Amino acid sequence: MPNSEISSLPVDEKYFDDSSSNYRAVHDSSLKDSEQFWANIAKELSWSREWDEVLEWKPPFAKWFTGGKINASFNCLDRHMDSEQKDKDAYIWEGENGDKRTITYAQLYEEVNHFASALLNLGVKKGDKIAFYMPMVPEFPVAILAATRIGATFTVVFSGFSAVALADRINDSQAKLVITSDGGFRRGKILKLKEIVDDALTKTSTVTNVIVLKRAGIEINMEENRDIWWDDAIKDTDDFVEPEQLESDHPLYILYTSGTTGKPKGVLHGTGGYLTYVYATTKWVFDIKKDDVYWCPADIGWVTGHSYFIFGPLLHGATSIMYEGAPDYPNPERLWEMIDRYNVTIFYFTPTGIRALMKHGNELPQKHDLSSLRLLGTVGEPINPAAWRWYYDVIGNKKCPIVDTWWQTETGGIMLSASPNLGLVSLKPGSATFPLPGIEADIVDEKGNSVGLGEKGFIVIKRPWPGMFMTLYNDSERYKQVYWEKFPGCYYPGDYAIRDHDGYFWLLGRADEVLNVAGHRLGTIEIEDAMVEHPAVAEAAVAGKPDEIKGESIVVFAILKKGYEPSEELRTDLFNHVRKVLGPVATPEEIHFVNMVPKTRSGKIMRRVVKAVASGTDIGDITTLEDGASVDEIKKTIDEFRQSVKS
Ligand code: ATP
Ligand code: MG
């Protein structure tokens, strides 16, 4: 493929000097004997029995640290009880309504023990499944850690999902207990969580008890013999519960993917390998130090919340901010105000969140003192260079490195990212840079052959790593078929990517969303990046529609920034802009102005839905869609446009 095809990547823009980075040396040596490499890291955790074998690899199933015994809550809590961490804040919590609470490691330890005792009293045993449907309050991590203490496997369902989605996940995981609250606060309204649980439980048969935390103080129905208030459950419980010594591959949790590309998949993670990986990556990427105040606003309902809000920071004894509500409530400066209030040093957010706040301009963040920040991160989608620069300039005041972390629910932890703890490599806006130590990544063509630098292809991982999922719950066939069959021996994440001439990795979107325009393969993100480079555009979603001549033509939905109005001139200007940035082949066929684009509840653009609407095909599973109105809007916009073209 000609090099000119990558001209859209701003490869010349580099931030930070990498001359003293140890990254390359560490990465090289990690691959020489990766089992020894991982074993050395695992030794930094506390095991009650050491493993017999580091890796038992029966492709495509891996077991890490077999024979070893470990407990997650012990590693997150008990370990810190003999150190100065004990009296440090584990969580500094703020409710959406301004309520405040701090909880030290010692207090967290105490609460977890009592709640674990409550679970035992209810007859919950090792291997039982617990479903969570909770707002972001400190009791949420308490209950999760308590579950891990007794060896119960948990599954978190994001509290914005419907009763049907909750029932599906309860049925799939066969949960016996549900932990919820009466309600939670979101954008000033009360979400009636218990009511939704009641509704879901009419469609399930495995649940014998529901524990209900009082948060919103609303009237709810309590079913006798089934429902129990949190406060009653912890009455007269023991203040110490012996942590269950669990086999390294004991199932820690089941988590359903975001549903961006189709029906959500139930990803099953083990314990010892997962904890080792999350521990290592938290250190490399976030470089957490004793005095840091770390904030990852991700909801626990997503894998980011599992790995880098709960386990990673707690394993390191770090202090985290926890916030209950919406990032733009009561106004879009809430996050900046909180960074200022708590002197946050490390902030890990999403491109979608950054673009949404960027839309409101620079004044809001500039009203606040953000100088405590020293490191910024992003996760969830490729970050457009324009959004990267705004994050870097305006939020980080041109002094904070940005770690763009590429990973998936399936991978358990970050796979590609700069790693400040090993010495920063130079950063390029929009590139996740390089694979972390122990990770062997490559880009291959349809046949599985490595492609050269500057050529697009499929990203693959060529050897197992400790954070990898064990299987898809109840569906090992789908596990094999989705991730391992396309390129035998390699893990196939399903993303499209390219390496530039310095070897940097750039993620170009989902492999099944790549456009084929007149013989040129274009990642959706390449066109979206170009759109967002234009000063008027806050966000764009791109999809292909079938075209008799070109194969596919490009349809763009654009959301404008504050202060810009849709007009024919602007549309023409945008056509010209994309053509100028990417070349004539990438000129969109249609550009539509909209107020929102279809997104998952985790905030990712659902391009398959955009594509289905643009090509008039079935829109498929939309159980994780955030707002149905977005689909109606793009449908209406397209219909009106095509009607006007016809007439
Ligand atoms: P589903 O698998 O149900 O379609 P999903 O893939 O969105 O949902 P997640 O596991 O939450 O579910 O997201 C992983 C995906 O998110 C990756 O495969 C990738 O496409 C995208 N992604 C995450 N982080 C980054 C990043 N830093 N750069 C580019 N893409 C990213
Ligand atoms: Mg996925």
Side-chain angles (χ1 to χ4, degrees):
M1 195 166 296
N3 292 339
S4 62
E5 281 213 16
I6 62 160
S7 61
S8 63
L9 304 177
V11 284
D12 294 333
E13 212 178 313
K14 276 196 184 181
Y15 295 74
F16 300 97
D17 165 29
D18 61 3
S19 53
S20 60
S21 174
N22 282 326
Y23 162 76
R24 270 165 235 276
V26 175
H27 189 259
D28 287 350
S29 80
S30 73
L31 294 186
K32 287 206 179 93
D33 185 352
S34 53
E35 290 189 21
Q36 191 54 49
F37 175 78
W38 291 120
N40 287 342
I41 294 172
K43 282 182 192 145
E44 292 180 30
L45 298 179
S46 303
W47 299 74
S48 55
R49 182 183 189 280
E50 212 184 282
W51 51 89
D52 303 317
E53 216 181 331
V54 174
L55 170 64
E56 188 192 299
W57 180 221
K58 294 186 182 141
F61 297 96
K63 285 187 179 174
W64 285 87
F65 307 112
T66 49
K69 294 212 166 171
I70 188 164
N71 181 284
S73 96
F74 184 89
N75 275 277
C76 291
L77 300 169
D78 304 45
R79 248 162 44 108
H80 305 311
M81 288 308 112
D82 304 325
S83 74
E84 57 178 11
Q85 246 79 18
K86 189 175 171 200
D87 297 313
K88 240 181 85 173
D89 289 333
Y91 291 116
I92 300 174
W93 176 78
E94 193 169 301
E96 194 184 70
N97 59 2
D99 287 354
K100 292 185 180 66
R101 199 176 142 193
T102 56
I103 176 163
T104 64
Y105 273 88
Q107 290 165 331
L108 189 60
Y109 172 81
E110 200 184 309
E111 292 201 20
V112 168
N113 273 285
H114 280 286
F115 198 74
S117 171
L119 293 176
L120 292 175
N121 289 346
L122 282 175
V124 182
K125 299 183 304 295
K126 174 181 170 189
D128 284 345
K129 312 290 186 300
I130 302 180
F132 283 85
Y133 192 67
M134 287 277 276
M136 287 289 282
V137 291
E139 286 82 0
F140 198 168
V142 165
I144 284 184
L145 290 165
T148 69
R149 195 163 187 91
I150 64 167
T153 300
F154 64 92
T155 185
V156 178
V157 182
F158 174 57
S159 60
F161 280 151
S162 66
V164 175
L166 174 60
D168 279 354
R169 288 158 177 76
I170 290 174
N171 286 329
D172 195 54
S173 63
Q174 300 281 292
K176 137 170 194 187
L177 174 71
V178 175
I179 302 178
T180 188
S181 72
D182 53 351
F185 296 95
R186 189 84 184 173
R187 289 216 168 77
K189 295 205 186 76
I190 291 179
L191 287 177
K192 296 181 177 170
L193 301 181
K194 174 62 167 55
E195 201 174 290
I196 299 172
V197 169
D198 287 341
D199 188 2
L201 293 192
T202 62
K203 304 170 185 66
T204 63
S205 58
T206 53
V207 175
T208 50
N209 288 108
V210 180
I211 298 182
V212 188
L213 177 79
K214 193 168 269 169
R215 163 67 189 137
I218 50 173
E219 280 285 314
I220 54 163
N221 157 56
M222 290 292 277
E223 187 102 7
E224 229 186 300
N225 299 328
R226 187 194 71 184
D227 303 349
I228 169 166
W229 287 105
W230 176 290
D231 285 346
D232 293 332
I234 55 170
K235 247 182 220 147
D236 305 320
T237 46
D238 298 336
D239 50 19
F240 178 75
V241 169
E242 189 68 41
E244 190 74 42
Q245 302 312 326
L246 301 165
E247 304 74 39
S248 179
D249 62 345
H250 181 74
L252 184 66
Y253 65 81
I254 303 163
L255 181 62
Y256 295 82
T257 56
S258 298
T260 315
T261 54
K263 190 177 176 325
K265 303 173 277 272
V267 166
L268 179 71
H269 278 288
T271 306
Y274 172 81
L275 291 177
T276 301
Y277 195 66
V278 166
Y279 172 81
T281 52
T282 301
K283 177 164 154 184
W284 294 328
V285 176
F286 300 112
D287 189 29
I288 293 189
K289 304 264 187 346
K290 231 174 57 205
D291 299 328
D292 275 312
V293 179
Y294 166 88
W295 190 12
C296 162
D299 193 280
I300 301 173
W302 319 122
V303 72
T304 308
H306 285 56
S307 298
Y308 301 110
F309 173 72
I310 297 192
F311 296 108
L314 293 179
L315 287 171
H316 286 278
T319 297
S320 285
I321 302 293
M322 181 177 202
Y323 170 55
E324 177 186 36
D328 56 354
Y329 190 85
N331 56 45
E333 59 190 291
R334 180 68 184 252
L335 300 185
W336 317 134
E337 194 185 295
M338 284 180 61
I339 290 176
D340 186 355
R341 175 154 52 246
Y342 299 112
N343 293 314
V344 172
T345 56
I346 305 171
F347 183 62
Y348 186 35
F349 199 37
T350 60
T352 213
I354 295 164
R355 288 191 300 262
L357 296 175
M358 180 171 120
K359 205 163 68 182
H360 299 280
N362 298 356
E363 302 79 56
L364 296 183
Q366 281 166 349
K367 271 168 65 184
H368 302 279
D369 179 3
L370 306 181
S371 62
S372 55
L373 288 170
R374 68 171 183 86
L375 181 63
L376 299 172
T378 74
V379 58
E381 289 185 293
I383 180 161
N384 322 78
W388 194 102
R389 284 186 218 104
W390 185 80
Y391 199 29
Y392 181 79
D393 290 345
V394 180
I395 306 307
N397 196 21
K398 298 184 169 43
K399 67 177 176 64
C400 305
I402 297 179
V403 286
D404 175 353
T405 63
W406 176 83
W407 59 295
Q408 308 180 292
T409 310
E410 295 88 334
T411 67
I414 298 165
M415 301 293 278
L416 262 64
S417 169
S419 29
N421 178 264
L422 303 174
L424 200 63
V425 296
S426 296
L427 304 175
K428 301 186 186 192
S431 164
T433 69
F434 301 105
L436 290 180
I439 301 301
E440 189 183 356
D442 195 8
I443 297 178
V444 301
D445 64 17
E446 271 296 342
K447 296 200 180 83
N449 299 318
S450 297
V451 300
L453 296 183
E455 288 181 35
K456 298 175 192 174
F458 308 97
I459 186 164
V460 293
I461 310 297
K462 297 183 123 169
R463 65 174 83 186
W465 67 100
M468 68 189 267
F469 60 145
M470 300 203 300
T471 188
L472 290 180
Y473 191 63
N474 284 335
D475 203 351
S476 291
E477 273 316 303
R478 192 173 176 203
Y479 168 79
K480 286 191 217 163
Q481 181 240 318
V482 173
Y483 305 101
W484 300 94
E485 272 174 13
K486 190 169 169 79
F487 303 114
C490 291
Y491 172 71
Y492 171 56
D495 282 353
Y496 202 55
I498 192 170
R499 296 178 73 185
D500 69 19
H501 299 289
D502 295 324
Y504 281 63
F505 285 73
W506 299 74
L507 278 300
L508 301 178
R510 312 305 178 109
D512 48 11
E513 287 163 358
V514 168
L515 305 178
N516 198 330
V517 185
H520 295 264
R521 284 179 300 157
L522 287 161
T524 43
I525 199 70
E526 294 178 85
I527 305 153
E528 290 169 6
D529 279 358
M531 285 292 295
V532 178
E533 287 287 314
H534 190 284
V537 179
E539 182 145 47
V542 164
K545 71 165 191 187
D547 182 294
E548 273 177 24
I549 301 157
K550 291 189 279 191
E552 261 181 313
S553 62
I554 300 166
V555 181
V556 180
F557 291 88
I559 302 174
L560 298 180
K561 279 194 197 146
K562 221 172 123 198
Y564 291 89
E565 291 298 324
S567 69
E568 279 319 305
E569 293 71 52
L570 180 56
R571 201 192 306 268
T572 310
D573 195 33
L574 287 170
F575 278 118
N576 292 336
H577 168 77
V578 176
R579 168 194 290 266
K580 201 174 103 205
V581 177
L582 290 175
V585 65
T587 312
E589 178 82 13
E590 300 171 12
I591 296 178
H592 303 288
F593 299 115
V594 289
N595 295 304
M596 44 181 172
V597 294
K599 285 188 180 168
T600 61
R601 290 191 184 264
S602 55
K604 300 181 193 210
I605 300 175
M606 288 171 112
R607 298 181 188 81
R608 67 178 165 94
V609 172
V610 179
K611 179 175 177 144
V613 174
S615 7
T617 55
D618 178 35
I619 55 177
D621 185 303
I622 47 165
T623 49
T624 67
L625 180 70
E626 179 165 39
D627 188 342
S630 58
V631 179
D632 300 339
E633 189 191 8
I634 60 169
K635 257 191 194 141
K636 187 162 164 268
T637 313
I638 283 228
D639 288 346
E640 282 171 7
F641 169 80
R642 293 189 184 158
Q643 229 24 66
S644 72
V645 173
K646 266 193 209 143
S647 53

